Amino acid sequence: MDVTIFGTGYVGLVTGVCLAEVGNNVLCIDIDPNKIDLLNSGGVPIYEPGLDEMIQSNREAGRLRFSTDAKAGVEHGLFQFIAVGTPPDEDGSADLQYVLAVARTIAEHMTEYRILVDKSTVPVGTADRVADTVREVQASRGQTVEFDVVSNPEFLKEGAAIEDFMRPDRIIVGTDNPRTGELLRALYAPFNRSHDRLMLMDVRSAELTKYAANAMLATKISFMNELSNIAEAVGADIEKVRVGIGSDPRIGYQFIYPGCGYGGSCFPKDVRALERTARGLGYAAELLQAVEAVNFRQKEVLFSKIRDYFGNELAGKTIAIWGLSFKPNTDDMREASSRVLMEALWEAGAQVRAYDPVAMEETRRIYGERADLTLAGDALAAVDGADALAVVTEWSQFRSPNFEAIRSRLRTPVIFDGRNILDGSLARATGLTYISIGRAPLTPA
Ligand SMILES: NC(=O)c1ccc[n+]([C@@H]2O[C@H](COP(=O)([O-])OP(=O)(O)OC[C@H]3O[C@@H](n4cnc5c(N)ncnc54)[C@H](O)[C@@H]3O)[C@@H](O)[C@H]2O)c1
C-alpha cells in the first residue's frame, strides 16, 4: 500500500520504517530540511536500537523515501499519517498547531479520497477539529473530495520502539466508518499474525485510550514514589514493599519501581494535557494533579539527599552523574530527571562530571559549553576526583560496577542511587556510603 507519514520524529520515523519493512511503499515528509537531508544521506537523527539498519535496508529496497515536498506526500499515499509533535501549550494543554497545519496541507493538495490517520497523541475531539479544518480549506477552494479521519494512537516505548511497533500489544483504531476500519485492518495485518490485536472503537474512545494508558503508567510511578518517601519516614525498605505488593496478581510486578521521577516526551505532557482537558470541561481531576505534583517533588529528591549529606555546602563540590537520558536506550532528554538535578547542583555552585552511553551529544546541544559541566569519556572517568556519584538513569551497564574502582576515585566515598539499581551491601562492604530511594542509608561498618 502507499503510505505517507507527516513528521519524522520518534513516532513518524518508526512508523514509516516498520510499514516499509512489511512491504508498503512509504514516503516520509518533514518540514525540517536538515532532518530530511540527514536521512537522505544515510544518517539517523535519533538513537533507537535497530532503527539505523532498518532505514538503510528499506531505503535500498526503494520502499522508504524522505522528502520535504508536502504536495508529493499528499499525492502519494491513500493513508496520510499525522505524526508531528503535540507539545504542551503555555497552560499545559496540548498545542495542536502542528497537527492542524498538516491537516491544512493535506486539504490544500488533496485531489482524491484520503484517510488522515492521527498518530500524534491528541486530546479528545481532535479528529473532529482535523475534519473541520479539511472541510474549511476545501470550502475555500470550492472543492469537495471525500476523506476520513481516523484516530490511531501510538504506544511505542522509546528504546524498544521497533520491537513495540513490529509486535504491538494492541493496535487501537478509532473510526465511525466501518469501511475505513477495514482498510486500516488490512494495513496492519502483517503485525497481527499470531492473534488479532486490532481494537476498533469510536474515535473519542480511541483518543482517550492513549491518555488513559499514559496517565495510568505515570500514576503507578508516582504512587511508588509517594510510598518510597513514606517508607523512608517510617523506617521501612521500599524494595521489600515492592516485592510484597507485586506478588498480588491484581497489582503485579511491572512498572512499580521507585526512583527519582519520570520524564520524557510523553508522561509529563500527557498527564498535564489530560488534566487540562478535564478542567476545561468543568471536572477537577485531582488524582492526575497529585500524580504530577508527586513527580515534580520526586525529581528534586536526589538533590535534597546530596545537599543534606554535604550539610548544605555544595559550592565548589563536584558531583559525578551516571545517566542523562530520561530512561535507558534512548538519547532523549526531554524532561529528564538528570536535568533537574544538574540545574539544582549548578544553582548551588557545584560542578558536574557526567557520563551517558548515548546522550552526551544531546547534553552538549542542550547546555553547550559551560565551565561547571564536564562530559567524561566513560563511567569511571566521570567519577575521577568527584566528591560523590549520583546514578540517575538505569542503564544496564551501570548495574554492576567496580565499587573498588569507584571508591578509589571519589574524594568522599558516597553513592546516591536514584534508581535503586546497585547492590548497596556490596557498596558498603567496599567502604562506600550508599544512599538510595525509599530505604535507610547504608554506611560502612
Ligand atoms: N516519543 C514517543 O515515545 C511517543 C510515543 C507515543 C506517542 N507519541 C506522540 O507522537 C507525537 C510525535 O512525537 P515525536 O516524539 O515523534 O515528536 P518529535 O518532536 O520527535 O517529531 C515531530 C516531527 O514533526 C515534524 N513536523 C512538524 N510540523 C510538521 C509539518 N507541518 N509537516 C511535516 N513534519 C512536521 C518536526 O520537524 C519533527 O521532525 C506526539 O504527539 C507524541 O506525544 C510519542
Side-chain angles (χ1 to χ4, degrees):
M1 294 190 195
D2 292 333
V3 180
T4 299
I5 316 266
F6 280 90
T8 54
Y10 283 87
V11 170
L13 204 47
V14 169
T15 304
V17 168
C18 292
L19 286 173
E21 177 76 11
V22 296
N24 296 293
N25 184 11
V26 179
L27 176 56
C28 294
I29 306 291
D30 204 289
I31 45 167
D32 181 346
N34 296 329
K35 219 175 232 192
I36 295 300
D37 284 349
L38 179 70
L39 285 158
N40 277 330
S41 59
V44 182
I46 52 170
Y47 174 81
E48 187 61 47
L51 186 62
D52 215 328
E53 298 81 352
M54 263 169 88
I55 290 180
Q56 203 171 326
S57 62
N58 282 287
R59 275 185 68 225
E60 280 166 14
R63 289 189 298 262
L64 180 65
R65 289 175 299 130
F66 301 99
S67 169
T68 52
D69 185 349
K71 182 165 181 284
V74 179
E75 282 164 5
H76 174 76
L78 165 64
F79 299 97
Q80 302 275 314
F81 278 81
I82 304 178
V84 295
T86 48
D89 225 333
E90 273 157 30
D91 70 346
S93 55
D95 181 352
L96 290 179
Q97 61 166 311
Y98 305 104
V99 169
L100 297 179
V102 175
R104 270 191 297 278
T105 302
I106 296 172
E108 272 157 20
H109 301 299
M110 196 166 71
T111 54
E112 55 185 321
Y113 176 64
R114 290 289 175 259
I115 301 172
L116 283 68
V117 185
D118 278 343
K119 214 165 209 355
S120 298
T121 300
V122 289
V124 177
T126 299
D128 291 341
R129 287 187 65 185
V130 167
D132 289 345
T133 303
V134 174
R135 273 187 221 105
E136 276 162 28
V137 175
Q138 289 203 337
S140 69
R141 294 174 67 204
Q143 195 194 36
T144 24
V145 179
E146 208 195 329
F147 69 96
D148 274 304
V149 181
V150 175
S151 167
N152 172 221
E154 182 49 56
F155 294 90
L156 61 78
K157 300 184 285 297
E158 284 179 24
I162 301 283
E163 173 70 14
D164 285 347
F165 199 97
M166 297 303 288
R167 266 176 282 276
D169 27 58
R170 82 218 100 158
I171 301 162
I172 302 286
V173 173
T175 173
D176 304 319
N177 182 342
R179 190 190 58 166
T180 314
E182 287 319 305
L183 285 169
L184 264 295
R185 189 182 289 286
L187 179 68
Y188 278 114
F191 307 96
N192 236 343
R193 286 269 180 258
S194 67
H195 62 278
D196 191 8
R197 300 161 168 111
L198 191 135
M199 300 172 201
L200 266 182
M201 56 181 80
D202 61 279
V203 176
R204 287 182 173 239
S205 301
E207 289 173 332
L208 185 56
T209 298
K210 174 65 194 176
Y211 281 99
N214 276 356
M216 180 70 196
L217 294 169
T219 302
K220 287 180 103 172
I221 297 173
S222 276
F223 175 83
M224 285 310 286
N225 286 337
E226 181 98 293
L227 259 287
S228 72
N229 295 327
I230 297 174
E232 275 180 36
V234 301
D237 178 339
I238 191 65
E239 292 299 337
K240 303 240 165 67
V241 177
R242 177 178 67 76
V243 177
I245 60 171
S247 60
D248 181 336
R250 293 170 305 175
I251 297 175
Y253 291 110
Q254 284 190 329
F255 227 69
I256 55 169
Y257 294 98
C260 52
Y262 61 75
S265 67
C266 293
F267 290 177
K269 92 170 162 52
D270 291 349
V271 170
R272 246 172 261 152
L274 182 56
E275 193 274 328
R276 299 304 180 273
T277 296
R279 195 193 298 181
L281 295 165
Y283 180 78
E286 291 173 9
L287 180 59
L288 299 179
Q289 289 165 10
V291 167
E292 197 189 346
V294 167
N295 190 55
F296 188 81
R297 196 174 56 194
Q298 196 68 14
K299 282 175 154 177
E300 295 174 339
V301 156
L302 264 185
F303 175 73
S304 309
K305 286 176 187 281
I306 296 171
R307 186 198 50 207
D308 293 352
Y309 183 83
F310 288 105
N312 231 347
E313 300 279 329
L314 284 173
K317 292 271 183 309
T318 299
I319 309 301
I321 293 185
W322 281 5
L324 298 162
S325 54
F326 85 92
K327 68 170 177 180
N329 299 321
T330 178
D331 62 352
D332 198 338
M333 287 180 64
R334 288 178 279 187
E335 305 221 22
S337 301
S338 64
R339 296 174 67 167
V340 176
L341 174 59
M342 285 195 291
E343 287 164 24
L345 288 169
W346 289 329
E347 182 73 28
Q351 301 271 326
V352 169
R353 286 178 68 84
Y355 173 73
D356 186 282
V358 302
M360 306 290 263
E361 217 167 287
E362 183 64 1
T363 309
R364 225 170 266 128
R365 191 188 67 76
I366 295 169
Y367 292 110
E369 289 295 324
R370 34 186 309 161
D372 48 10
L373 172 64
T374 305
L375 294 174
D378 60 54
L380 277 180
V383 181
D384 250 334
D387 291 281
L389 165 63
V391 180
V392 185
T393 314
E394 65 276 32
W395 283 93
S396 314
Q397 60 179 260
F398 298 153
R399 285 172 193 263
S400 195
N402 182 339
F403 287 113
E404 200 60 65
I406 294 174
R407 195 184 51 79
S408 66
R409 282 169 172 77
L410 281 175
R411 274 204 288 241
T412 328
V414 57
I415 298 182
F416 297 88
D417 183 355
R419 301 290 173 188
N420 289 1
I421 55 168
L422 302 182
D423 184 333
S425 48
L426 218 56
R428 174 197 212 177
T430 320
L432 288 149
T433 295
Y434 176 75
I435 297 176
S436 58
I437 303 288
R439 297 182 288 195
L442 296 177
T443 43

